[in-house]
Amino acid sequence: SSTKSLSFNHDLTLVSGKDPTLAYAELVPRDLLATMGAASPCEKTVILDGHEVITGSTFVYEIAGDDNIVCIEIGKVVGAAVYMGSIVQTSSFSTVESYLLHASIPHRIVDRKDVVFLGRYMPASKESNAIRKNNKNKGNFVWSYGATNLVNPYTTRIVTEKNDETAALILACANLFFFNKNKAKSEASMGATAQGLANKVAKYDLPSVVLGIG
């Protein structure tokens, strides 16, 4: 996509003092639950841990059709990086990195990753609502919701099948660590569940994160 220019610097949040060279235009908040299969527009995200900005902005920028831009994340706010008045695409990321190094601004660079997420929360639909209605254990859905929201929606795209680009497996399961030795059937059932999860991890053969509660 073509480079988008933003001439109104007063509507942007400056990264370094009053220097307008690098700024960001805050993105419309992204809901991972509603956009699981869609790629985040942020192909690269620059995370500024503990960084404080001097100016704030009420300007919110809607990225339409872009999935290869550089983003800046400060705390819970994520914005499209703007260098010398233009939205930064990954092809020109080196200019932003050079500026950050020259300005001695501590930062981390995170590339967008595709992950398989088993046990994720499913957004409201006729089908998912029917499943939740028929399951009396609402705590499972609360756990799935919380586990899904641990994932950064700007640096992650959830996919349903492993491919050459898949970076990791996330597996969320309630009651994962509950073994009741006083109830043989319960212990056997949970043992089988744990073994099933271990088999899935082995099947995907990816760096894995298992989130369990119980």
Side-chain angles (χ1 to χ4, degrees):
S1 57
S2 59
T3 301
K4 295 180 173 63
S5 296
L6 300 176
S7 59
F8 30 81
N9 284 338
H10 63 281
D11 279 333
L12 304 175
T13 301
L14 307 183
V15 171
S16 182
K18 297 181 179 180
D19 181 2
T21 304
L22 181 62
Y24 64 86
E26 186 172 342
L27 294 178
V28 173
R30 175 177 164 80
D31 183 358
L32 183 69
L33 298 177
T35 56
M36 287 182 178
S40 158
C42 310
E43 190 169 3
K44 286 183 179 291
T45 300
V46 179
I47 300 178
L48 306 181
D49 293 316
H51 189 72
E52 294 184 5
V53 295
I54 305 302
T55 58
S57 171
T58 57
F59 176 68
V60 178
Y61 189 63
E62 177 74 68
I63 296 292
D66 283 345
D67 66 354
N68 62 346
I69 67 171
V70 176
C71 292
I72 292 176
E73 178 177 325
I74 301 178
K76 295 182 178 180
V77 177
V78 177
V82 180
Y83 185 80
M84 300 293 287
S86 294
I87 297 291
V88 182
Q89 295 181 318
T90 51
S91 58
S92 55
F93 173 69
S94 59
T95 57
V96 173
E97 189 172 23
S98 296
Y99 174 84
L100 292 169
L101 292 172
H102 180 73
S104 299
I105 298 176
H107 62 279
R108 293 185 290 131
I109 301 167
V110 178
D111 293 323
R112 185 179 59 219
K113 296 290 193 303
D114 286 357
V115 302
V116 175
F117 196 145
L118 303 180
R120 68 187 186 278
Y121 183 85
M122 302 305 296
S125 67
K126 184 177 180 180
E127 292 76 16
S128 63
N129 288 344
I131 293 173
R132 284 192 272 270
K133 183 177 180 180
N134 292 329
N135 190 325
K136 295 181 180 181
N137 191 342
K138 306 304 180 186
N140 287 339
F141 301 113
V142 173
W143 170 244
S144 294
Y145 180 85
T148 304
N149 274 285
L150 291 174
V151 176
N152 187 326
Y154 294 94
T155 61
T156 309
R157 178 175 63 176
I158 292 179
V159 296
T160 56
E161 297 292 338
K162 179 183 176 181
N163 56 57
D164 292 340
E165 303 298 322
T166 308
L169 167 69
I170 301 175
L171 199 157
C173 180
N175 301 328
L176 183 59
F177 304 123
F178 179 68
F179 291 89
N180 190 343
K181 294 185 179 299
N182 295 323
K183 295 182 179 180
K185 289 185 178 181
S186 174
E187 185 178 18
S189 174
M190 291 309 302
T193 298
Q195 185 59 56
L197 298 179
N199 292 341
K200 287 183 179 179
V201 170
K203 171 189 172 183
Y204 281 96
D205 192 26
L206 291 168
S208 303
V209 177
V210 179
L211 303 170
I213 191 172

